[in-house]
Amino acid sequence: MRCIRKKMTLLYTATYRYKRALQTMAAGVFLIYMTLVLYQNVYGYDGGDGGPDPDRAIVADNLQDLQSFGAMMLGGGTGAGDEVPPGVPVDPAIDASVVISKRDNSAPYGRADNSENELVRADANKLVTGPGEDPRRRTLDGHRIPPPPAVTGTPKPPTTELDDLLISVKTTKSYHDTRLEMIIKTWYQLAKEQTWFFTDTEDPHYQQLTNNHMVNTNCSQGHFRKALCCKMGKEFEFFLDSAKKWWCHFDDDNYVNVPRLVRMLDDYNPTQDWYLGKPSISSPLEIFLDSTKTSTEVNKKITFWFATGGAGFCVSRALALKMMPIAASGKFVAIGDKIRFPDDVTMGFLIEHILKVPLTVIDAFHSHLEPMEFIRPETFHDQVSFSYARMRNEWNVVKVDGGFDLKTDPKRIYSLHCYLYPFFSICPKSIRRR
């Protein structure tokens, strides 16, 4: 009898130990499961495509089976219909805390939108982050969640402000009292600190009016190639010595719409190579360069575009730095002498032919070589530059009603300025009241 009791005790003890071992195992597995659930609720992801996913269903089913198994082992349940003991969480929306990493192996690596390996998160509030206008990109109370910054191959150009510009105006002594005076009374007032005048003589009167923004280049007076290239070279070197992001050149017969110029440059990145302007010819310029290799070699013909200086052009800081070794310290004049063309053509030759940077055409630049009367007044605010000229006993000027008659303002610069900015004191009172 004692032997039977002893055997029964051993059997009971073994059974008890086995049951306790199973319960301990179940408790450990359940703790691991709960840890995973909590972790995934905080850092979980869903597929982000809104549709059924077979991988997701398998993972969810496995987790539900594991939860049922843990509840059964802890409380002795035997089926899906058994009650879950108190303290064991039941997550009916368990799919909101499942990690799904989707990768489309058929998509090329390095796509700009990173859609081939995007992980999209969905937590308890159904917050969805990721590119696109996903309808789930809202909290439960309806607030929209902003998308992350777009990742593209080209960075967004930095914001350009007026103080990022150096505007140079080429003039000469004989035009100080006519062209220069009109500029100072009109658009110069919108960019006093950014505009510099490059001339060929000392002029204390206009030096005072421009707050010492007159630069005597000591270049020859006159409208011939060497004098023009000399002044252009001085403008370029002056820009290099500044800390500005953009250099914009204009002639003294240009009206510059300064706010529009700033907005236009804001579309381009000054840390990249930009040559912005407008040609005055309908096809690339063709020139012949003298051969320097052998006396029997024929002259080489090259073609390139150039932005006419009469309409104005702009050069980015990055491009100017590339030009510096071959154009600074008087070398710009040497290049003009070599090709025997004036300043704007020399600039195009240097940038397009030597540096291989193409001209970006901006239609909003205008020179006196095009008919100004065809520019419609309703588009004036969209234009960067205007010009004027006396041709065949007629003025090539814009047609604008700015409060001045043709006798008072034959070049229409004052009228154009008052049309754009009627609040200026030089404008007639009838214009300012509009």
Side-chain angles (χ1 to χ4, degrees):
M1 193 70 181
R2 182 180 298 177
C3 181
I4 293 174
R5 288 180 179 176
K6 186 176 183 180
K7 288 181 179 180
M8 289 295 294
T9 302
L10 291 175
L11 180 61
Y12 176 79
T13 303
T15 303
Y16 178 79
R17 289 178 178 176
Y18 179 73
K19 183 177 180 180
R20 295 300 297 174
L22 285 177
Q23 289 179 338
T24 302
M25 265 173 78
V29 171
F30 185 73
L31 287 174
I32 294 174
Y33 159 72
M34 290 301 298
T35 302
L36 288 174
V37 169
L38 291 175
Y39 180 85
Q40 291 161 356
N41 276 333
V42 177
Y43 300 103
Y45 298 84
D46 73 26
D49 55 4
D53 190 297
D55 294 334
R56 180 192 186 95
I58 292 172
V59 174
D61 290 343
N62 289 340
L63 288 176
Q64 288 173 343
D65 292 342
L66 182 60
Q67 181 182 15
S68 300
F69 173 74
M72 180 184 68
M73 292 304 296
L74 286 175
T78 59
D82 295 334
E83 293 185 1
V84 180
V88 179
V90 177
D91 188 0
I94 193 168
D95 58 342
S97 61
V98 179
V99 175
I100 302 293
S101 176
K102 304 190 71 175
R103 184 180 185 88
D104 181 6
N105 292 325
S106 64
Y109 179 77
R111 284 172 49 181
D113 58 0
N114 291 326
S115 59
E116 75 277 12
N117 60 351
E118 179 183 345
L119 294 180
V120 183
R121 173 184 173 183
D123 62 15
N125 288 327
K126 297 291 185 182
L127 304 182
V128 180
T129 59
E133 258 319 306
D134 194 297
R136 295 172 300 167
R137 190 188 297 283
R138 295 180 182 273
T139 58
L140 291 179
D141 57 359
H143 293 294
R144 183 179 180 275
I145 302 169
V151 179
T152 60
T154 303
K156 183 186 183 300
T159 301
T160 297
E161 299 178 352
L162 176 60
D163 200 44
D164 295 324
L165 279 64
L166 188 145
I167 302 173
S168 64
V169 179
K170 181 181 63 184
T171 187
T172 186
K173 179 182 178 181
S174 59
Y175 288 143
H176 286 187
D177 293 331
T178 54
R179 297 181 177 183
L180 194 56
E181 182 181 8
M182 280 196 303
I183 291 176
I184 292 175
K185 289 181 178 180
T186 57
W187 67 264
Y188 167 76
Q189 299 298 320
L190 300 172
K192 291 182 179 180
E193 298 301 319
Q194 296 76 29
T195 305
W196 296 79
F197 299 94
F198 290 77
T199 186
D200 41 40
T201 188
E202 294 292 341
D203 193 326
H205 173 66
Y206 284 99
Q207 191 73 267
Q208 181 180 3
L209 287 179
T210 61
N211 194 25
N212 296 318
H213 275 219
M214 295 281 289
V215 178
N216 183 4
T217 61
N218 293 312
C219 298
S220 302
Q221 297 182 20
H223 198 270
F224 56 93
R225 174 176 53 80
K226 200 171 188 71
L228 296 174
C229 287
C230 177
K231 289 178 183 176
M232 184 71 76
K234 296 294 185 180
E235 294 176 51
F236 172 65
E237 293 172 5
F238 193 89
F239 171 66
L240 289 177
D241 291 337
S242 73
K244 304 296 185 178
K245 298 177 181 178
W246 291 98
W247 167 40
C248 294
H249 159 89
F250 295 97
D251 283 350
D252 56 8
D253 59 355
N254 283 131
Y255 178 91
V256 181
N257 189 1
V258 176
R260 178 67 179 96
L261 174 64
V262 176
R263 294 198 307 271
M264 182 270 293
L265 292 176
D266 195 41
D267 292 333
Y268 302 91
N269 190 339
T271 64
Q272 298 174 348
D273 299 336
W274 289 110
Y275 175 36
L276 310 174
K278 187 177 183 181
S280 57
I281 53 180
S282 59
S283 59
L285 181 66
E286 296 183 353
I287 66 173
F288 289 87
L289 292 181
D290 293 335
S291 172
T292 57
K293 293 183 179 179
T294 64
S295 58
T296 59
E297 186 178 6
V298 296
N299 290 343
K300 179 182 179 182
K301 183 177 75 171
I302 64 170
T303 61
F304 60 92
W305 289 100
F306 70 93
T308 178
F313 60 81
C314 296
V315 173
S316 64
R317 164 66 62 174
L319 179 56
L321 293 176
K322 287 187 177 180
M323 295 166 57
M324 183 171 63
I326 54 178
S329 303
K331 296 177 183 177
F332 187 86
V333 176
I335 294 177
D337 288 340
K338 178 181 179 180
I339 65 174
R340 298 188 294 276
F341 277 92
D343 51 343
D344 51 0
V345 180
T346 301
M347 185 66 65
F349 172 82
L350 194 156
I351 296 175
E352 274 230 348
H353 176 65
I354 297 181
L355 296 180
K356 307 301 181 185
V357 175
L359 169 66
T360 299
V361 178
I362 307 295
D363 288 330
F365 286 95
H366 300 283
S367 77
H368 64 268
L369 299 176
E370 58 183 285
M372 292 290 103
E373 63 179 350
F374 291 155
I375 305 176
R376 302 190 308 275
E378 62 267 25
T379 70
F380 284 172
H381 285 280
D382 299 325
Q383 311 306 324
V384 171
S385 65
F386 303 82
S387 190
Y388 58 87
R390 183 84 170 172
M391 295 181 175
R392 299 186 185 92
N393 296 322
E394 292 183 359
W395 282 103
N396 177 22
V397 295
V398 294
K399 288 189 174 181
V400 58
D401 181 14
F404 296 91
D405 57 35
L406 290 174
K407 184 177 180 180
T408 306
D409 182 26
K411 301 171 185 177
R412 311 310 288 159
I413 294 300
Y414 292 116
S415 298
L416 173 62
H417 183 72
C418 289
Y419 180 91
L420 294 173
Y421 308 103
F423 53 83
F424 268 66
S425 60
I426 65 169
C427 301
K429 292 183 179 180
S430 59
I431 297 295
R432 282 183 278 166
R433 282 197 297 265
R434 290 181 184 176

